[in-house]
Amino acid sequence: MNAAAVLQLQNVQAFYGHIHALKDISIEVREGEIVTLIGSNGAGKSTTLRCISGLLAPTEGKILLRGQPIHGKKPYEVAALGIGHAPEGRKIFPQLTVEENLAIGAYLESDKTIIARRKREVYELFPRLAERHKQDGGTLSGGEQQMLAIGRALMQDPAILLLDEPTLGLAPVLVELLFETLQTLHKAGKTILLVEQNAWHALQIAQRAYVLQTGIITHQGAAKDLSNNPEIKQAYLGGD
């Protein structure tokens, strides 16, 4: 029996100015899944996440969170409903400490006990952040800043976590560490929509995948099946 859908995009279209960025795309993410979007630069992956989180309004189509429409809502309203977004480029607050950055992630929660528990869980997930909790975000390494961006999004206890290129620019050892962390989150029951340039790694940890090409979904299905698809291998996985 399939798990219930947490997030659904139904025939979504979106424009950047005159550029038709998303062309009638439909995506579903079910409870407890990691679903990945792969594709080349400019395919529309980040645009998809921006539409979900309210940063870009779709011109047509529906975006549903647990069956309730969220398209057309402001980003802070979407966040309050349960969308956690760790954007490309991390976008942490460099002049605030690690602890202060995490506190901002929990701004919707007033119960100090719950906030303390979530912060403890983030520090257990990312021990480096615990070691640097009094450091300004801007003094962290790129990998640590990425941990902080994910940790801040987790402080919301979101219904679904959107991750946009979390391993971009990181050393291979940190790439491995972050993918291990995503598997830990999956085992804990978190629902994740992952945009990732490292398609091979993404397909190894995801349950299902969508391939975007110039704003169109060209392939979809089980991640294992797509990783064995000759066309996908050739285009995105360095296959022969």
Side-chain angles (χ1 to χ4, degrees):
M1 189 181 204
N2 286 338
V6 175
L7 180 71
Q8 293 170 296
L9 279 69
Q10 299 176 348
N11 307 112
V12 168
Q13 306 216 32
F15 286 78
Y16 276 125
H18 297 296
I19 298 171
H20 198 173
L22 298 179
K23 304 167 186 174
D24 203 37
I25 71 165
S26 295
I27 290 170
E28 180 176 275
V29 185
R30 301 169 196 148
E31 193 82 46
E33 279 190 316
I34 298 178
V35 172
T36 187
L37 300 180
I38 64 173
S40 56
N41 289 338
K45 305 184 303 295
S46 294
T47 301
T48 301
L49 297 194
R50 289 173 60 82
C51 282
I52 295 166
S53 59
L55 295 168
L56 179 68
T59 53
E60 289 185 38
K62 296 179 180 179
I63 302 176
L64 307 175
L65 181 66
R66 293 197 165 125
Q68 299 302 309
I70 61 171
H71 50 280
K73 293 187 180 295
K74 303 293 185 186
Y76 67 88
E77 295 172 321
V78 173
L81 290 170
I83 300 288
H85 189 176
E88 183 179 1
R90 296 145 198 168
K91 305 291 195 299
I92 64 160
F93 296 96
Q95 295 178 319
L96 299 183
T97 66
V98 166
E99 197 129 309
E100 290 166 339
N101 269 275
L102 293 178
I104 287 172
Y107 78 99
L108 293 166
E109 179 56 63
S110 57
D111 189 319
K112 292 183 179 179
T113 302
I114 292 174
I115 294 171
R117 174 178 55 77
R118 290 181 188 170
K119 184 168 64 177
R120 186 168 63 251
E121 290 170 351
V122 169
Y123 286 155
E124 287 171 359
L125 192 66
F126 298 117
R128 291 192 195 192
L129 295 184
E131 296 167 6
R132 293 156 173 72
H133 70 285
K134 294 298 184 186
Q135 276 187 231
D136 288 350
T139 68
L140 302 178
S141 70
E144 291 161 353
Q145 289 187 20
Q146 186 60 66
M147 294 172 194
L148 182 54
I150 295 172
R152 183 180 60 192
L154 287 170
M155 287 294 291
Q156 295 175 231
D157 191 23
I160 182 168
L161 179 62
L162 311 181
L163 298 178
D164 195 354
E165 303 286 13
T167 70
L168 188 65
L170 299 187
V173 64
L174 288 176
V175 171
E176 294 289 345
L177 177 61
L178 270 176
F179 276 109
E180 287 173 12
T181 301
L182 297 187
Q183 289 178 297
T184 299
L185 288 171
H186 174 241
K187 288 175 184 173
K190 296 294 183 185
T191 305
I192 299 170
L193 179 57
L194 170 66
V195 162
E196 178 53 52
Q197 42 124 22
N198 192 322
W200 186 87
H201 265 104
L203 290 171
Q204 299 311 300
I205 67 165
Q207 286 69 62
R208 292 187 305 108
Y210 295 84
V211 180
L212 273 173
Q213 187 174 333
T214 59
I216 298 168
I217 293 174
T218 58
H219 298 79
Q220 60 181 290
K224 184 182 291 186
D225 293 342
L226 291 186
S227 68
N228 291 321
N229 180 310
E231 190 178 343
I232 303 299
K233 278 183 167 181
Q234 177 67 34
Y236 304 107
L237 307 180
D240 297 327

